[in-house]
Amino acid sequence: MSQPFMLRRRHVLQLMAGTTGAILLKSCQPSGDAGGGADNLAMSMGTAPWVGQLPLYIAQEKGFFAEEGLDFDLSIFGASGDYISAFASNNVDSVAPVSAEAILMKSQGKDFKIVLVQDNSVGGDGILARDTIASIEDFKGKEVAVDTTGVSYFFLLQVLKEAGLTKDDVTIVNADPASAATAFESGNVDIAVSYAPYLPATARAVDDGRVIYDSSKMPTAIIDLYLVDTAFIEENPAAVQAFVNAIFKGTQFMLDNPEEALEIGAKELEVTTEELEGDLKGVKIPSVEDNLDMLARPDSDTYLATPLQELVTFLLAEEQIETDPGDVSTLLYPKFVEAYTES
């Protein structure tokens, strides 16, 4: 089935119960010598398939983890709740969640650091509206189809807030991103929040509708991250450094060899290269400099602590978390990115 991985991403707000489920393990042992001897490094990660992880898939396929002396073991989980549970119980050393998941885990007491930013949504998420709706302000009194268990809901509320509205000014119709797009296309709702591939496909299919607002106008609203357990970092800093180095190698390979990169990602995600190329237009894979801006530079417009703190405020107000996780700037750990720039 086309785009199966999209259906398993960003369904996060329901995860407070910390449910577990079946796990599909994909062992990604690097070929050849992984460093050898007493200096052999190892690190495990749990995640769900996602387009923003293309540099990671490239690093696996091209042996960049092995080049860095890292025995990297990736477990692919069927749902984000599963890898969150695995991380909380210390069954994996690291995870690759969306920002809302990171806040949920921190509020539940998990001790971790954000060592790298995976991607930003820069158009991959958006809001569909009929042509009769001229602006976001015109949403007042209308029905909006949106997944209330995912970050699409948070994105909607941020957009409403920017226009001087709140959730009380609209009628929420709970629908997953695919169903929301279908409801819009069939005329059951005049407004729907969705993401690629449903977002652009529906906009093309509906003559009297378009994407009225997308995440390119709010590029820090939806961010995917790489988190590592704090104790693991303290005990295995060289392993984390090797991971970061390999990811940046994967990112550079993606830029230098786009066709081969698409082939690697398409095979991993079980999509066509054309589909993957289209979906990549909706995310931004950050450069080394971008990561420094987001993790290490409080004066930057993209400094990650700012949107994370806004996310905390939102989740507390919506009673999605019970405990304030405190100063989120302490989660940012730019040491490994900084070391990469000095190497």
Side-chain angles (χ1 to χ4, degrees):
M1 182 178 67
S2 177
Q3 300 290 0
F5 64 96
M6 288 292 184
L7 300 178
R8 299 201 292 266
R9 193 64 175 150
R10 295 176 171 167
H11 297 270
V12 299
L13 300 185
Q14 79 275 31
L15 301 176
M16 294 305 298
T19 57
T20 59
I23 300 173
L24 172 62
L25 293 180
K26 182 171 183 181
S27 182
C28 303
Q29 305 293 344
S31 59
D33 181 22
D39 294 329
N40 187 38
L41 307 174
M43 177 174 155
S44 62
M45 174 172 285
T47 186
W50 175 239
V51 61
Q53 293 170 170
L54 181 55
L56 184 150
Y57 303 142
I58 293 170
Q60 293 179 121
E61 179 68 22
K62 303 304 293 186
F64 296 152
F65 293 119
E67 285 182 8
E68 294 294 328
L70 180 63
D71 184 348
F72 182 64
D73 190 24
L74 183 67
S75 295
I76 302 295
F77 289 74
S80 52
D82 298 335
Y83 67 67
I84 287 177
S85 295
F87 191 47
S89 57
N90 298 317
N91 288 325
V92 293
D93 305 316
S94 58
V95 286
V98 74
S99 49
E101 293 172 341
I103 296 301
L104 293 173
M105 286 186 279
K106 185 61 178 176
S107 73
Q108 293 175 333
K110 179 61 180 177
D111 192 7
F112 63 82
K113 299 297 182 185
I114 300 169
V115 302
L116 201 59
V117 178
Q118 181 187 128
D119 66 81
N120 296 65
S121 179
V122 290
D125 298 76
I127 304 175
L128 296 155
R130 300 289 168 189
D131 291 339
T132 54
I133 298 173
S135 66
I136 303 299
E137 287 80 2
D138 293 337
F139 284 18
K140 189 169 184 178
K142 301 291 195 303
E143 289 187 335
V144 182
V146 62
D147 180 8
T148 60
T149 67
V151 293
S152 292
Y153 184 52
F154 173 58
F155 177 64
L156 171 66
L157 294 192
Q158 285 181 296
V159 174
L160 291 175
K161 180 180 178 181
E162 191 176 65
L165 303 176
T166 72
K167 64 180 180 181
D168 295 329
D169 292 311
V170 299
T171 299
I172 298 295
V173 178
N174 188 24
D176 64 66
S179 299
T182 299
F184 181 80
E185 185 173 351
S186 63
N188 291 332
V189 295
D190 290 334
I191 306 165
V193 187
S194 190
Y195 53 64
Y198 319 114
L199 184 74
T202 304
R204 290 192 298 267
V206 177
D207 292 335
D208 65 336
R210 82 285 193 201
V211 177
I212 192 172
Y213 194 106
D214 67 40
S215 53
S216 65
K217 300 177 182 178
M218 197 178 289
T220 59
I222 302 175
I223 307 169
D224 292 285
L225 309 164
Y226 287 117
L227 315 182
V228 182
D229 178 78
T230 300
F232 182 85
I233 292 175
E234 294 171 351
E235 296 170 7
N236 305 276
V240 184
Q241 187 67 65
F243 170 79
V244 170
N245 293 353
I247 293 296
F248 282 135
K249 284 185 177 181
T251 302
Q252 190 60 50
F253 184 92
M254 179 185 69
L255 297 174
D256 295 339
N257 306 275
E259 291 186 4
E260 186 177 355
L262 286 174
E263 291 174 359
I264 292 171
K267 179 181 178 182
E268 182 69 30
L269 296 168
E270 301 178 4
V271 297
T272 67
T273 55
E274 292 77 14
E275 288 171 327
L276 178 57
E277 185 175 25
D279 291 332
L280 280 170
K281 294 177 182 178
V283 299
K284 179 182 179 182
I285 309 293
S287 65
V288 176
E289 195 67 18
D290 292 332
N291 263 278
L292 289 173
D293 281 341
M294 299 182 80
L295 297 176
R297 297 168 178 164
D299 293 335
S300 168
D301 291 339
T302 58
Y303 185 54
L304 188 57
T306 302
L308 287 182
Q309 193 58 59
E310 293 172 353
L311 184 54
V312 168
T313 301
F314 163 73
L315 292 175
L316 285 169
E318 293 295 310
E319 298 182 342
Q320 296 294 331
I321 58 175
E322 297 178 356
T323 305
D324 189 332
D327 183 3
V328 294
S329 68
T330 62
L331 301 177
L332 309 186
Y333 202 77
K335 172 182 175 180
F336 300 109
V337 179
E338 292 169 338
Y340 178 83
T341 65
E342 298 166 1
S343 61

